[in-house]
Amino acid sequence: MKFTRPRGTSDIFGERMERWREAELALSAYLRRCGYGEIRTPVFESTELFARTVGEATDIVTKEMYTFTDKKGRSLTLRPENTAPVMRAYIENGLHRAGGISRFYYAGPMFRYDRPQAGRYRQFHQIGAEAIGSPGPAIDAEIVDLALGLYRELGFPPLEVRLNSVGCPDCRPAYKAVLSEALASRSSELCGACAGRAAANPLRVFDCKECGPVKEKLPLITAYLCGACRSHFDVLQRMLEEMEIRFTLDPLLVRGLDYYTKTAFEIVHPELGAQNALCGGGRYDGLAEDCGGPRVPAVGFSAGMERLLETMPRPASGARTPAGTDVYCVVADEASAGAVLALARRLREAGSSVVVDLSGRSFKKQLGAASAHGARFAVIAGLAELAPGTAALKDLETGDQTVVTMAECAGRIAAAPRRGA
Ligand code: AMP
């Protein structure tokens, strides 16, 4: 019986893992520098949390959730997104009582049962941020800038921001009524799924990839915004201009989640093809109440790690040093392995990166592996000509080799000039 990973998931290792870690560390450091603290929420939550907030008529809730019943009959769902969980945690932990703005970031896996293709997976990873507590457009501008900064931080060229306003519970009902009427008059042009969407939640027709031509002919939300939404949208645009952030207004951008109010935005990458959104975000002033809390305005974004890594510029060769090996220990005879492992522990405690070759292969092959690892030193133990308790210390940069006691070995390595110094 041979096992394979579930469709739409991936194993991450080797160079890709190194790039991933490097990006995640750089982005975490960046977000913390911007005043956002990390939050970790469970990978699964009650199903109701997502149904209520993301929206009963959305693709995520109707088709894409990994839902299961636990042994006590509770319905749980692997998180398809992390904004609702963060808001749930914010309220459950009473963080709203502190007042002011709470700024969080998160990173981790999300799960959606979608049709896998390039750039779209069933387990994917997001890094995102949420600023909870301010109703004004300035914090929306901060969030758009923060999201763009992720890519700046990793050396991307300037990216395009698409911006829209999706209104609020004051203006959306009137718009929805007009939209429903327009959809009814064009029902023959809609795909099968959209016929259902048009009835349940007409705004979701804008999420459809097949109904492009119809979408172009529908009334647009921006013509129906109430005074408060209009002025929020105008001020945000002025601020972005002042910050020299280039954006394009996209009145068809509504995002696939029901909780958005007012601002919605996406950052896209020209090279990504059909799945070209690197990052999506917006304001969600009703989410705290949907999660059973008080009314607290909030705004955030979420960026896909897979798409980010796929498009991340490669460093010019030599620009970044990989996490290399400092010392490679060659164990020519298993009897010396205990002494070598003890030495390796001392070296690691002193800050070196050490690999001990426990393969049992020939001394020559192990020494070859030391070079292949790019190690600075090889410690060779267990050769017949070496007295007990000693090892040959080989400087792989100069080729110099000396016999030293195991006790001396650590000191010699520590005293050697650093690589490239
Ligand atoms: P969303 O949570 O749908 O607003 O998506 C935010 C970002 O997450 C997108 O712009 C993508 O970069 C990424 N993303 C969403 N769904 C997937 C998926 N199924 N596979 C890979 N990345 C995804």
Side-chain angles (χ1 to χ4, degrees):
M1 172 93 191
K2 199 168 142 213
F3 294 104
T4 55
R5 58 178 188 267
R7 211 162 109 73
T9 66
S10 60
D11 302 313
I12 309 154
F13 54 88
E15 203 217 318
R16 183 160 178 247
M17 187 66 241
E18 289 303 316
R19 277 165 64 75
W20 192 301
R21 178 179 300 284
E22 196 182 325
E24 208 169 74
L25 284 174
L27 297 182
S28 300
Y30 161 72
L31 290 167
R32 291 153 67 96
R33 232 166 43 236
C34 297
Y36 287 70
E38 185 172 5
I39 182 165
R40 294 190 190 188
T41 60
V43 164
F44 56 85
E45 297 269 355
S46 75
T47 301
E48 191 56 22
L49 174 68
F50 300 112
R52 277 255 295 275
T53 59
V54 173
E56 300 277 4
T58 57
D59 278 357
I60 292 181
V61 171
T62 53
K63 296 193 287 203
E64 297 173 4
M65 295 209 298
Y66 280 90
T67 296
F68 59 98
T69 309
D70 76 1
K71 293 193 193 306
K72 284 267 170 70
R74 303 176 190 96
S75 181
L76 299 169
T77 292
L78 297 183
R79 60 181 183 196
E81 62 95 55
N82 214 23
T83 297
V86 169
M87 188 56 92
R88 193 265 313 132
Y90 172 81
I91 293 160
E92 186 174 345
N93 292 287
L95 302 176
H96 54 285
R97 288 197 281 273
I101 303 179
S102 297
R103 291 177 166 91
F104 298 109
Y105 82 89
Y106 60 81
M110 309 293 153
F111 307 86
R112 292 182 197 171
Y113 190 81
D114 204 344
R115 195 166 50 78
Q117 54 177 275
R120 200 202 282 161
Y121 312 99
R122 290 184 174 166
Q123 175 173 335
F124 59 98
H125 298 73
Q126 290 183 330
I127 186 160
E130 319 286 359
I132 309 176
S134 169
I139 195 86
D140 302 35
E142 171 174 301
I143 281 287
V144 172
D145 186 46
L146 189 73
L148 280 169
L150 294 180
Y151 304 98
R152 259 198 319 269
E153 199 66 17
L154 297 175
F156 280 69
L159 294 170
E160 186 189 340
V161 180
R162 293 199 184 141
L163 187 69
N164 195 20
S165 173
V166 295
C168 71
D170 287 339
C171 48
R172 220 161 13 196
Y175 170 63
K176 272 189 181 171
V178 177
L179 184 60
S180 288
E181 246 174 67
L183 288 169
S185 71
R186 295 188 179 275
S187 57
S188 59
E189 298 166 55
L190 295 174
C191 73
C194 276
R197 288 185 183 118
N201 187 346
L203 229 75
R204 298 276 66 92
V205 170
F206 287 104
D207 300 332
C208 181
K209 311 243 170 1
E210 287 168 41
C211 291
V214 192
K215 285 194 271 184
E216 305 281 336
K217 298 176 209 149
L218 295 173
L220 298 172
I221 177 82
T222 34
Y224 293 84
L225 295 179
C226 62
C229 286
R230 183 77 256 165
S231 123
H232 188 101
F233 195 31
D234 290 344
V235 176
L236 171 61
Q237 290 178 53
R238 269 211 309 280
M239 285 180 177
L240 294 177
E241 280 160 9
E242 214 176 315
M243 295 161 77
E244 296 181 358
I245 292 175
R246 284 189 309 142
F247 59 88
T248 311
L249 295 180
D250 180 355
L252 299 181
L253 178 76
V254 295
R255 321 261 313 112
L257 303 100
D258 273 357
Y259 53 62
Y260 283 112
T261 52
K262 297 192 169 105
T263 310
F265 72 94
E266 259 179 16
I267 298 175
V268 294
H269 197 287
E271 279 165 29
L272 274 175
Q275 308 295 320
N276 68 352
L278 280 172
C279 172
R283 177 164 278 283
Y284 42 91
D285 289 344
L287 184 61
E289 275 174 306
D290 290 345
C291 290
R295 187 165 175 76
V296 189
V299 55
F301 71 78
S302 192
M305 280 303 286
E306 283 81 359
R307 294 183 199 176
L308 178 148
L309 282 155
E310 213 172 293
T311 47
M312 186 164 99
R314 303 226 158 226
S317 68
R320 286 184 218 160
T321 41
T325 305
D326 299 317
V327 184
Y328 195 94
C329 299
V330 171
V331 183
D333 174 7
E334 203 189 14
S336 63
V340 175
L341 286 168
L343 169 67
R345 190 178 57 213
R346 281 202 301 281
L347 291 170
R348 288 177 186 133
E349 279 166 5
S352 293
S353 129
V354 185
V355 173
V356 181
D357 194 323
L358 296 172
S359 65
R361 59 192 159 168
S362 75
F363 154 73
K364 262 193 140 161
K365 281 207 171 128
Q366 292 189 42
L367 205 53
S371 300
H373 268 72
R376 167 72 199 278
F377 293 102
V379 171
I380 303 157
L383 289 176
E385 62 264 35
L386 289 168
T390 66
L393 175 62
K394 185 170 177 139
D395 185 326
L396 294 169
E397 251 173 43
T398 61
D400 294 346
Q401 186 169 317
T402 45
V403 174
V404 290
T405 65
M406 291 281 190
E408 282 169 343
C409 203
R412 291 282 189 101
I413 288 171
R418 289 274 124 202
R419 197 196 296 261

